[in-house]
Amino acid sequence: MPGKFALAFPILSLGLLVLATPLEQHEVAPGLIEDPLKGTSNPIPQLIKDILAGVKSAVANNAESKKPLICEDACCVWWNVSEKLTAEFRETTGECNDNARAAIRFGFHDAGSWDEKSTHGGADGSLMMDFGEIDRPENNGLQSIRTLLRSVQSTYNVSYADLAQYAHNHATVTCPRGPRLMVFVGRKDAKKAAPKGLLPDVHDSADNLIALFQRKGISTHDLAALLGAHSSAKQRFVDETKANFSLDTTPGVWDTKFYNDTLQDPKDRPTIFQLPSDKVLSVHSEVKDSWRSFIGQGKFWGEAYGKAYLRVSLLGVKNFNHLVDCTETLPLFRANATVP
Ligand code: HEM
Ligand SMILES: *[C@@H]1O[C@H](CO)[C@@H](O)[C@H](O)[C@H]1NC(C)=O
Ligand SMILES: *[C@@H]1O[C@H](CO)[C@@H](O)[C@H](O)[C@H]1NC(C)=O
Ligand SMILES: *[C@@H]1O[C@H](CO)[C@@H](O)[C@H](O)[C@H]1NC(C)=O
Ligand SMILES: *[C@@H]1O[C@H](CO)[C@@H](O)[C@H](O)[C@H]1NC(C)=O
Ligand SMILES: *[C@@H]1O[C@H](CO)[C@@H](O)[C@H](O)[C@H]1NC(C)=O
C-alpha cells in the first residue's frame, strides 16, 4: 500500500499541474472517494467527510419539508420530481411498491459499476442513458423503472446521474420506516457505458463478494448494512419458478426482518426466497456479527445504511464542490404505513 501511494503521488501532482481545475474533470485519476475529498473543506464536501467518518449522520428523519412559495434555488425542480416519484412509488396501502424496489436497485446498479481502478463509471447515470448497459444480464428487471425515470428526466430536465440516486433515496423513505437519507445533487452525467463486471454475482462466494465491495471502498459492516435493502426486494430471475417471491416476509416495509428471515432454515420461510449470496454472506465470519447486530435495531441499521449508501451514491464522483443538499425536497419519514 505505501509503495502504491509513493508511486501515485508524483503522477497525481503532475495531473494537477496539467489540469487547471482537477476537481471538475470527469475522467480523473482512479482512487477511492477519500482522495478527491482531501483537497477541499467547503461545507458540502466537509459534511460528506464527516458522515463517512461517522461524526455526522446521513439520516434526516426529523428535518423539515416545506416547499417554498417562491422557489429559486437548485433544489426547486426536485420538489416537482419528488411529487411525481411519490405518486409512482407508493401503494394506496401506504407501502412501497415494485417501482420503489426497482428504483432502490437501480441506484445501486448505476453507481456500483465502479471500483478504485476505474477512470469512469460510478454514479454517473450511464444505466439510464443510451449506452446499452440495460441489456447486460445483471440489469435484467430494471427495464421498466428505467423507462419511468427517463420520462421523469425528460419532463424535468434533471441530470441522469442525480436522478438515479435521488430516486433511490426517495424510494427508501417511501417505504414505511425507511430512513430519510440526505440527498445531494450536482453529479456529472456519463459520456460512455460503465466498465463491465463490477456488479456482484448472486452465485459468487462470500470471499469474492467481500473483495469486490472492498475495491469500491465498502467494508464488511457497510456491506451487511447495504444488503438490508433486500428488505424491500423481490426476485424474478434467480429462480423463475419462484418469480415475484420477496426476499423477506415484508417487502413493502423497510424493516430488519430480512436479516432474521435470511438466517432461518428455508423450510421455515416457505413464502420468501433467500438469495444464495445473502445466505453465504450472512454467516461469513467477517459479516455475521454485523448482520446479527441489525436484527430488531431499525434505527441503528438506518444510520449504518445511510452512511454506507452515501458512499455508494458518490462512487466515481469528483466534483464535490458543485454538490448541493436537496434533502428538504424528500417526503417525510414515516414510522409506519398508516401515517401519511
Ligand atoms: C452481494 C451483493 C448483491 C447481490 C449479489 C444482489 C443480487 C440481487 C438479485 C439476484 C436480485 C433479484 C433480481 C431478480 O431476480 O429480479 C436483487 C434484487 C434487489 N437488490 Fe440486490 N444484490 C446485492 C446488493 C444489493 C444492494 C447493495 C442493494 C441496494 C443498496 C440491492 C438492492 C436490491 C433491491 C431493492 C432488489 C429488488 C429489486 C426488485 O424487486 O425489482 N442489492 N439483488
Ligand atoms: C413545479 O411545480 C410548480 C408548482 O408547485 C409549478 O409552478 C412549476 O411550473 C413546476 N415546474 C416544472 C418544471 O414542472
Ligand atoms: C436542460 O438542462 C441542460 C443542462 O442544465 C441545459 O443546458 C438545457 O438548456 C436544458 N434544456 C431545456 C429544454 O431546458
Ligand atoms: C410478477 O409480478 C408482475 C408485476 O406485478 C406481474 O406482471 C407478473 O405477472 C408476476 N409474475 C408471476 C409469475 O406472478
Ligand atoms: C427470528 O426468527 C425466529 C424464527 O421465526 C423467531 O423465533 C425470532 O423471534 C425472530 N427474532 C427476532 C428478533 O425477530
Ligand atoms: C403507527 O404510528 C402511529 C404514530 O407513531 C402510532 O400511533 C400507531 O400505533 C402506529 N400503528 C402501527 C400499526 O404500528
Side-chain angles (χ1 to χ4, degrees), residues 260 264 269 295:
N260 195 22
Q264 304 305 318
R269 290 289 187 280
I295 298 175

Side-chain angles (χ1 to χ4, degrees), residues 109-132:
H109 278 217
D110 187 44
S113 293
W114 183 92
D115 76 10
E116 60 188 337
K117 296 208 172 77
S118 304
T119 53
H120 68 288
D124 64 1
S126 59
L127 181 52
M128 215 188 296
M129 298 169 82
D130 286 322
F131 301 124

Side-chain angles (χ1 to χ4, degrees), residues 316-332:
V317 170
K318 309 283 176 177
N319 62 332
F320 291 103
N321 287 328
H322 278 184
L323 298 185
V324 175
D325 176 1
C326 291
T327 310
E328 57 177 359
T329 65
L330 288 172
L332 293 176

Side-chain angles (χ1 to χ4, degrees), residues 12-296:
L12 203 69
S13 20
L14 200 69
L16 299 189
L17 290 177
V18 176
L19 310 168
T21 52
L23 289 173
E24 310 310 325
Q25 291 298 312
H26 188 63
E27 296 200 6
V28 287
L32 297 179
I33 193 171
E34 278 74 11
D35 293 342
L37 274 173
K38 247 179 230 151
T40 168
S41 58
N42 287 345
I44 295 286
Q46 187 58 50
L47 174 59
I48 291 168
K49 271 191 264 191
D50 288 345
I51 293 171
L52 295 179
V55 177
K56 287 194 176 157
S57 171
V59 179
N61 282 354
N62 301 317
E64 291 287 302
S65 176
K66 208 165 219 146
K67 184 174 182 176
L69 284 177
I70 302 162
C71 192
E72 294 180 315
D73 62 21
C75 296
C76 293
V77 66
W78 294 100
W79 291 101
N80 300 56
V81 172
S82 184
E83 274 170 33
K84 168 75 176 158
L85 294 184
T86 299
E88 299 288 352
F89 289 175
R90 187 176 294 172
E91 292 295 279
T92 47
T93 59
E95 298 199 348
C96 53
N97 63 18
D98 285 356
N99 286 334
R101 44 189 135 265
I104 292 167
R105 186 170 197 222
F106 192 94
F108 167 55
H109 278 217
D110 187 44
S113 293
W114 183 92
D115 76 10
E116 60 188 337
K117 296 208 172 77
S118 304
T119 53
H120 68 288
D124 64 1
S126 59
L127 181 52
M128 215 188 296
M129 298 169 82
D130 286 322
F131 301 124
E133 258 176 78
I134 192 67
D135 298 325
R136 297 179 184 173
E138 62 270 31
N139 292 325
N140 208 0
L142 295 173
Q143 291 86 353
S144 31
I145 190 63
R146 176 174 177 270
T147 303
L148 183 105
L149 292 176
R150 279 174 66 91
S151 109
V152 172
Q153 190 284 328
S154 70
T155 306
Y156 300 107
N157 195 29
V158 289
S159 98
Y160 294 98
D162 288 334
L163 182 57
Q165 298 314 316
Y166 189 91
H168 168 283
N169 287 28
H170 192 293
T172 303
V173 70
T174 302
C175 298
R177 296 187 214 145
R180 189 162 175 268
L181 304 179
M182 297 196 76
V183 69
F184 300 99
V185 299
R187 294 170 189 78
K188 285 179 189 283
D189 282 341
K191 297 200 171 65
K192 54 182 169 188
K196 287 186 177 166
L198 299 180
L199 287 172
D201 179 338
V202 69
H203 296 296
D204 212 342
S205 70
D207 283 335
N208 284 350
L209 291 166
I210 289 168
L212 176 80
F213 278 87
Q214 213 88 56
R215 291 192 293 272
K216 304 179 197 300
I218 293 167
S219 69
T220 49
H221 186 72
D222 285 358
L223 175 57
L226 288 170
L227 286 170
H230 288 163
S231 165
S232 67
K234 294 181 180 172
Q235 75 87 33
R236 271 158 290 171
F237 306 109
V238 184
D239 181 347
E240 292 187 14
T241 69
K242 295 188 171 178
N244 293 346
F245 272 45
S246 57
L247 307 188
D248 87 345
T249 41
T250 52
V253 180
W254 189 270
D255 58 19
T256 65
K257 287 207 174 70
F258 163 76
Y259 289 106
N260 195 22
D261 286 343
T262 304
L263 292 174
Q264 304 305 318
D265 188 319
K267 284 198 291 298
D268 297 330
R269 290 289 187 280
T271 61
I272 67 163
F273 187 85
Q274 298 168 333
L275 293 182
S277 50
D278 288 337
K279 212 60 185 165
V280 294
L281 284 164
S282 67
V283 294
H284 186 279
S285 60
E286 287 171 47
V287 182
K288 67 180 199 313
D289 291 347
S290 296
W291 194 279
R292 285 168 189 274
S293 74
F294 297 131
I295 298 175

